[in-house]
Amino acid sequence: MLNRRGLVLNLVAAAGQPVLVVGLLAGADHVAAHWPDSGWTGAVSVILLVLTGLTWLAGIVLAANPLIVFVGAVASMVAMSAVTSSIDDTALYDRGVRTICDVTAVDRRVETRSHYDANGTWSTSTTAYYDHRLRCDDGPIEKMTLLSRAAEAGQRLEITFDPLLKVNPVPADTVTDGSGSQQLALIATLVAVLTRVGGVLWSRW
């Protein structure tokens, strides 16, 4: 059982870690998507991403019910994904250019990643990507990678691309102002905080 000082430290970690992880990732994504290209831009983005990873790993040492820590980790992952989508959506919404493209081929590939799970053990996950080969009426875009197939080879597709090439192109009808993803990120972060704090208190008693 935690003493009073240990309990306070765990509550601070429980509440602060999800907010810090999401905030650092948001900072890294914002720098990559909106800052002018320079040596400093890349360095700052990499530093923020490294800090994000270290802060994420620090969350596994929380003294709390493992199941609840896992639920909090899942909520944090949802928040991180949503905040990345929000920043990309905002960039395309603000400066994106629409064009029509011929889809010349669609290649499916699967990537496997290994990472720490909430219990501090290694786990693997696989993700399927669809690389759409394009020949567009305007712009330097030759490929668009999505998590699903947007069109078949031989079809024409309207896409929105970033003229600065900082954000990946997407089908034009999927571009939003990012507000929906922002709300999801806030809700998921709140769920992560409440879940982790609840896990610490549960373990206390």
Side-chain angles (χ1 to χ4, degrees), residues 135-157:
R135 185 171 57 247
C136 299
D137 294 346
D138 298 298
I141 304 303
E142 297 180 349
K143 185 176 76 170
M144 176 178 65
T145 299
L146 303 171
L147 295 176
S148 61
R149 191 185 300 268
E152 299 291 343
Q155 294 182 327
R156 286 178 58 83
L157 182 66

PDB file of all heavy atoms in Angstrom, residues 135-157:
ATOM      1  N   ARG A 135      -1.725   9.646 -61.068  1.00  0.00           N
ATOM      2  CA  ARG A 135      -1.289  10.556 -62.123  1.00  0.00           C
ATOM      3  C   ARG A 135      -2.294  11.704 -62.128  1.00  0.00           C
ATOM      4  O   ARG A 135      -3.429  11.559 -62.569  1.00  0.00           O
ATOM      5  CB  ARG A 135      -1.258   9.845 -63.483  1.00  0.00           C
ATOM      6  CG  ARG A 135      -0.699  10.716 -64.605  1.00  0.00           C
ATOM      7  CD  ARG A 135      -0.462   9.948 -65.896  1.00  0.00           C
ATOM      8  NE  ARG A 135      -1.680   9.305 -66.358  1.00  0.00           N
ATOM      9  CZ  ARG A 135      -1.863   7.985 -66.408  1.00  0.00           C
ATOM     10  NH1 ARG A 135      -0.908   7.168 -65.989  1.00  0.00           N
ATOM     11  NH2 ARG A 135      -2.994   7.470 -66.859  1.00  0.00           N
ATOM     12  N   CYS A 136      -1.858  12.847 -61.575  1.00  0.00           N
ATOM     13  CA  CYS A 136      -2.778  13.947 -61.266  1.00  0.00           C
ATOM     14  C   CYS A 136      -2.726  15.055 -62.308  1.00  0.00           C
ATOM     15  O   CYS A 136      -1.704  15.280 -62.963  1.00  0.00           O
ATOM     16  CB  CYS A 136      -2.461  14.534 -59.891  1.00  0.00           C
ATOM     17  SG  CYS A 136      -2.617  13.331 -58.541  1.00  0.00           S
ATOM     18  N   ASP A 137      -3.855  15.762 -62.434  1.00  0.00           N
ATOM     19  CA  ASP A 137      -3.938  16.895 -63.367  1.00  0.00           C
ATOM     20  C   ASP A 137      -3.046  18.049 -62.913  1.00  0.00           C
ATOM     21  O   ASP A 137      -2.481  18.769 -63.743  1.00  0.00           O
ATOM     22  CB  ASP A 137      -5.388  17.391 -63.476  1.00  0.00           C
ATOM     23  CG  ASP A 137      -6.303  16.353 -64.107  1.00  0.00           C
ATOM     24  OD1 ASP A 137      -5.784  15.387 -64.694  1.00  0.00           O
ATOM     25  OD2 ASP A 137      -7.533  16.512 -63.983  1.00  0.00           O
ATOM     26  N   ASP A 138      -2.934  18.253 -61.598  1.00  0.00           N
ATOM     27  CA  ASP A 138      -2.116  19.334 -61.055  1.00  0.00           C
ATOM     28  C   ASP A 138      -1.337  18.815 -59.859  1.00  0.00           C
ATOM     29  O   ASP A 138      -1.766  17.892 -59.163  1.00  0.00           O
ATOM     30  CB  ASP A 138      -2.988  20.519 -60.600  1.00  0.00           C
ATOM     31  CG  ASP A 138      -3.770  21.140 -61.751  1.00  0.00           C
ATOM     32  OD1 ASP A 138      -3.133  21.639 -62.685  1.00  0.00           O
ATOM     33  OD2 ASP A 138      -5.017  21.103 -61.689  1.00  0.00           O
ATOM     34  N   GLY A 139      -0.205  19.460 -59.585  1.00  0.00           N
ATOM     35  CA  GLY A 139       0.556  19.149 -58.386  1.00  0.00           C
ATOM     36  C   GLY A 139       1.550  18.022 -58.586  1.00  0.00           C
ATOM     37  O   GLY A 139       1.457  17.241 -59.535  1.00  0.00           O
ATOM     38  N   PRO A 140       2.515  17.919 -57.660  1.00  0.00           N
ATOM     39  CA  PRO A 140       3.577  16.916 -57.770  1.00  0.00           C
ATOM     40  C   PRO A 140       3.232  15.583 -57.106  1.00  0.00           C
ATOM     41  O   PRO A 140       4.128  14.800 -56.784  1.00  0.00           O
ATOM     42  CB  PRO A 140       4.735  17.603 -57.034  1.00  0.00           C
ATOM     43  CG  PRO A 140       4.050  18.374 -55.945  1.00  0.00           C
ATOM     44  CD  PRO A 140       2.735  18.841 -56.530  1.00  0.00           C
ATOM     45  N   ILE A 141       1.952  15.324 -56.856  1.00  0.00           N
ATOM     46  CA  ILE A 141       1.553  14.136 -56.103  1.00  0.00           C
ATOM     47  C   ILE A 141       1.551  12.900 -57.001  1.00  0.00           C
ATOM     48  O   ILE A 141       0.919  12.885 -58.052  1.00  0.00           O
ATOM     49  CB  ILE A 141       0.149  14.335 -55.484  1.00  0.00           C
ATOM     50  CG1 ILE A 141       0.139  15.599 -54.625  1.00  0.00           C
ATOM     51  CG2 ILE A 141      -0.235  13.121 -54.651  1.00  0.00           C
ATOM     52  CD1 ILE A 141       1.161  15.614 -53.518  1.00  0.00           C
ATOM     53  N   GLU A 142       2.271  11.862 -56.571  1.00  0.00           N
ATOM     54  CA  GLU A 142       2.330  10.607 -57.311  1.00  0.00           C
ATOM     55  C   GLU A 142       1.825   9.423 -56.500  1.00  0.00           C
ATOM     56  O   GLU A 142       1.575   8.355 -57.072  1.00  0.00           O
ATOM     57  CB  GLU A 142       3.766  10.331 -57.764  1.00  0.00           C
ATOM     58  CG  GLU A 142       4.320  11.379 -58.722  1.00  0.00           C
ATOM     59  CD  GLU A 142       5.739  11.072 -59.139  1.00  0.00           C
ATOM     60  OE1 GLU A 142       6.356  10.171 -58.526  1.00  0.00           O
ATOM     61  OE2 GLU A 142       6.240  11.724 -60.071  1.00  0.00           O
ATOM     62  N   LYS A 143       1.681   9.613 -55.191  1.00  0.00           N
ATOM     63  CA  LYS A 143       1.239   8.496 -54.340  1.00  0.00           C
ATOM     64  C   LYS A 143       0.432   9.025 -53.172  1.00  0.00           C
ATOM     65  O   LYS A 143       0.720  10.091 -52.632  1.00  0.00           O
ATOM     66  CB  LYS A 143       2.442   7.689 -53.822  1.00  0.00           C
ATOM     67  CG  LYS A 143       2.058   6.448 -53.043  1.00  0.00           C
ATOM     68  CD  LYS A 143       3.284   5.635 -52.631  1.00  0.00           C
ATOM     69  CE  LYS A 143       4.006   6.269 -51.470  1.00  0.00           C
ATOM     70  NZ  LYS A 143       5.057   5.371 -50.914  1.00  0.00           N
ATOM     71  N   MET A 144      -0.566   8.269 -52.754  1.00  0.00           N
ATOM     72  CA  MET A 144      -1.377   8.582 -51.582  1.00  0.00           C
ATOM     73  C   MET A 144      -1.543   7.297 -50.784  1.00  0.00           C
ATOM     74  O   MET A 144      -2.003   6.281 -51.319  1.00  0.00           O
ATOM     75  CB  MET A 144      -2.745   9.133 -52.000  1.00  0.00           C
ATOM     76  CG  MET A 144      -3.696   9.410 -50.836  1.00  0.00           C
ATOM     77  SD  MET A 144      -5.278  10.103 -51.406  1.00  0.00           S
ATOM     78  CE  MET A 144      -5.936   8.710 -52.371  1.00  0.00           C
ATOM     79  N   THR A 145      -1.169   7.321 -49.520  1.00  0.00           N
ATOM     80  CA  THR A 145      -1.248   6.133 -48.665  1.00  0.00           C
ATOM     81  C   THR A 145      -2.377   6.294 -47.667  1.00  0.00           C
ATOM     82  O   THR A 145      -2.441   7.291 -46.940  1.00  0.00           O
ATOM     83  CB  THR A 145       0.079   5.907 -47.926  1.00  0.00           C
ATOM     84  OG1 THR A 145       1.123   5.705 -48.882  1.00  0.00           O
ATOM     85  CG2 THR A 145      -0.017   4.687 -47.020  1.00  0.00           C
ATOM     86  N   LEU A 146      -3.275   5.292 -47.626  1.00  0.00           N
ATOM     87  CA  LEU A 146      -4.424   5.311 -46.731  1.00  0.00           C
ATOM     88  C   LEU A 146      -4.536   3.977 -46.014  1.00  0.00           C
ATOM     89  O   LEU A 146      -3.864   2.997 -46.362  1.00  0.00           O
ATOM     90  CB  LEU A 146      -5.715   5.567 -47.527  1.00  0.00           C
ATOM     91  CG  LEU A 146      -5.777   6.847 -48.379  1.00  0.00           C
ATOM     92  CD1 LEU A 146      -7.026   6.820 -49.247  1.00  0.00           C
ATOM     93  CD2 LEU A 146      -5.761   8.076 -47.488  1.00  0.00           C
ATOM     94  N   LEU A 147      -5.425   3.947 -45.014  1.00  0.00           N
ATOM     95  CA  LEU A 147      -5.682   2.701 -44.291  1.00  0.00           C
ATOM     96  C   LEU A 147      -6.764   1.859 -44.959  1.00  0.00           C
ATOM     97  O   LEU A 147      -7.055   0.758 -44.504  1.00  0.00           O
ATOM     98  CB  LEU A 147      -6.086   3.008 -42.850  1.00  0.00           C
ATOM     99  CG  LEU A 147      -5.008   3.668 -41.985  1.00  0.00           C
ATOM    100  CD1 LEU A 147      -5.564   4.002 -40.608  1.00  0.00           C
ATOM    101  CD2 LEU A 147      -3.782   2.768 -41.852  1.00  0.00           C
ATOM    102  N   SER A 148      -7.358   2.388 -46.016  1.00  0.00           N
ATOM    103  CA  SER A 148      -8.373   1.645 -46.765  1.00  0.00           C
ATOM    104  C   SER A 148      -8.250   1.987 -48.238  1.00  0.00           C
ATOM    105  O   SER A 148      -7.617   2.986 -48.605  1.00  0.00           O
ATOM    106  CB  SER A 148      -9.785   1.967 -46.252  1.00  0.00           C
ATOM    107  OG  SER A 148     -10.067   3.346 -46.424  1.00  0.00           O
ATOM    108  N   ARG A 149      -8.854   1.187 -49.085  1.00  0.00           N
ATOM    109  CA  ARG A 149      -8.797   1.412 -50.523  1.00  0.00           C
ATOM    110  C   ARG A 149      -9.820   2.478 -50.901  1.00  0.00           C
ATOM    111  O   ARG A 149     -11.016   2.316 -50.660  1.00  0.00           O
ATOM    112  CB  ARG A 149      -9.093   0.104 -51.257  1.00  0.00           C
ATOM    113  CG  ARG A 149      -8.820   0.135 -52.750  1.00  0.00           C
ATOM    114  CD  ARG A 149      -9.271  -1.170 -53.375  1.00  0.00           C
ATOM    115  NE  ARG A 149      -8.572  -2.311 -52.808  1.00  0.00           N
ATOM    116  CZ  ARG A 149      -7.449  -2.829 -53.295  1.00  0.00           C
ATOM    117  NH1 ARG A 149      -6.890  -2.308 -54.375  1.00  0.00           N
ATOM    118  NH2 ARG A 149      -6.889  -3.874 -52.713  1.00  0.00           N
ATOM    119  N   ALA A 150      -9.353   3.586 -51.492  1.00  0.00           N
ATOM    120  CA  ALA A 150     -10.244   4.693 -51.856  1.00  0.00           C
ATOM    121  C   ALA A 150     -10.796   4.547 -53.254  1.00  0.00           C
ATOM    122  O   ALA A 150     -11.845   5.114 -53.579  1.00  0.00           O
ATOM    123  CB  ALA A 150      -9.519   6.023 -51.727  1.00  0.00           C
ATOM    124  N   ALA A 151     -10.106   3.822 -54.118  1.00  0.00           N
ATOM    125  CA  ALA A 151     -10.550   3.641 -55.504  1.00  0.00           C
ATOM    126  C   ALA A 151      -9.791   2.463 -56.091  1.00  0.00           C
ATOM    127  O   ALA A 151      -8.781   2.006 -55.529  1.00  0.00           O
ATOM    128  CB  ALA A 151     -10.315   4.898 -56.324  1.00  0.00           C
ATOM    129  N   GLU A 152     -10.270   1.979 -57.210  1.00  0.00           N
ATOM    130  CA  GLU A 152      -9.602   0.898 -57.908  1.00  0.00           C
ATOM    131  C   GLU A 152      -8.732   1.467 -59.025  1.00  0.00           C
ATOM    132  O   GLU A 152      -8.921   2.610 -59.477  1.00  0.00           O
ATOM    133  CB  GLU A 152     -10.632  -0.064 -58.506  1.00  0.00           C
ATOM    134  CG  GLU A 152     -11.539  -0.724 -57.470  1.00  0.00           C
ATOM    135  CD  GLU A 152     -10.807  -1.709 -56.581  1.00  0.00           C
ATOM    136  OE1 GLU A 152      -9.694  -2.126 -56.954  1.00  0.00           O
ATOM    137  OE2 GLU A 152     -11.335  -2.049 -55.511  1.00  0.00           O
ATOM    138  N   ALA A 153      -7.772   0.683 -59.457  1.00  0.00           N
ATOM    139  CA  ALA A 153      -6.935   1.097 -60.580  1.00  0.00           C
ATOM    140  C   ALA A 153      -7.814   1.370 -61.804  1.00  0.00           C
ATOM    141  O   ALA A 153      -8.721   0.605 -62.114  1.00  0.00           O
ATOM    142  CB  ALA A 153      -5.914   0.005 -60.888  1.00  0.00           C
ATOM    143  N   GLY A 154      -7.540   2.482 -62.472  1.00  0.00           N
ATOM    144  CA  GLY A 154      -8.314   2.868 -63.641  1.00  0.00           C
ATOM    145  C   GLY A 154      -9.394   3.892 -63.337  1.00  0.00           C
ATOM    146  O   GLY A 154      -9.933   4.509 -64.270  1.00  0.00           O
ATOM    147  N   GLN A 155      -9.716   4.090 -62.070  1.00  0.00           N
ATOM    148  CA  GLN A 155     -10.722   5.080 -61.693  1.00  0.00           C
ATOM    149  C   GLN A 155     -10.068   6.451 -61.501  1.00  0.00           C
ATOM    150  O   GLN A 155      -8.857   6.567 -61.323  1.00  0.00           O
ATOM    151  CB  GLN A 155     -11.438   4.652 -60.413  1.00  0.00           C
ATOM    152  CG  GLN A 155     -12.285   3.405 -60.560  1.00  0.00           C
ATOM    153  CD  GLN A 155     -13.009   3.052 -59.275  1.00  0.00           C
ATOM    154  OE1 GLN A 155     -12.514   3.288 -58.174  1.00  0.00           O
ATOM    155  NE2 GLN A 155     -14.202   2.484 -59.407  1.00  0.00           N
ATOM    156  N   ARG A 156     -10.928   7.477 -61.538  1.00  0.00           N
ATOM    157  CA  ARG A 156     -10.468   8.837 -61.253  1.00  0.00           C
ATOM    158  C   ARG A 156     -10.942   9.250 -59.866  1.00  0.00           C
ATOM    159  O   ARG A 156     -12.032   8.873 -59.450  1.00  0.00           O
ATOM    160  CB  ARG A 156     -10.967   9.822 -62.321  1.00  0.00           C
ATOM    161  CG  ARG A 156     -10.191   9.633 -63.613  1.00  0.00           C
ATOM    162  CD  ARG A 156     -10.611  10.509 -64.747  1.00  0.00           C
ATOM    163  NE  ARG A 156     -10.547  11.949 -64.532  1.00  0.00           N
ATOM    164  CZ  ARG A 156      -9.436  12.686 -64.677  1.00  0.00           C
ATOM    165  NH1 ARG A 156      -8.269  12.126 -64.944  1.00  0.00           N
ATOM    166  NH2 ARG A 156      -9.493  13.999 -64.536  1.00  0.00           N
ATOM    167  N   LEU A 157     -10.099  10.012 -59.186  1.00  0.00           N
ATOM    168  CA  LEU A 157     -10.359  10.343 -57.797  1.00  0.00           C
ATOM    169  C   LEU A 157      -9.950  11.780 -57.533  1.00  0.00           C
ATOM    170  O   LEU A 157      -8.864  12.214 -57.937  1.00  0.00           O
ATOM    171  CB  LEU A 157      -9.558   9.400 -56.891  1.00  0.00           C
ATOM    172  CG  LEU A 157      -9.710   9.547 -55.382  1.00  0.00           C
ATOM    173  CD1 LEU A 157     -11.127   9.170 -54.955  1.00  0.00           C
ATOM    174  CD2 LEU A 157      -8.697   8.658 -54.664  1.00  0.00           C
TER     175      LEU A 157
END
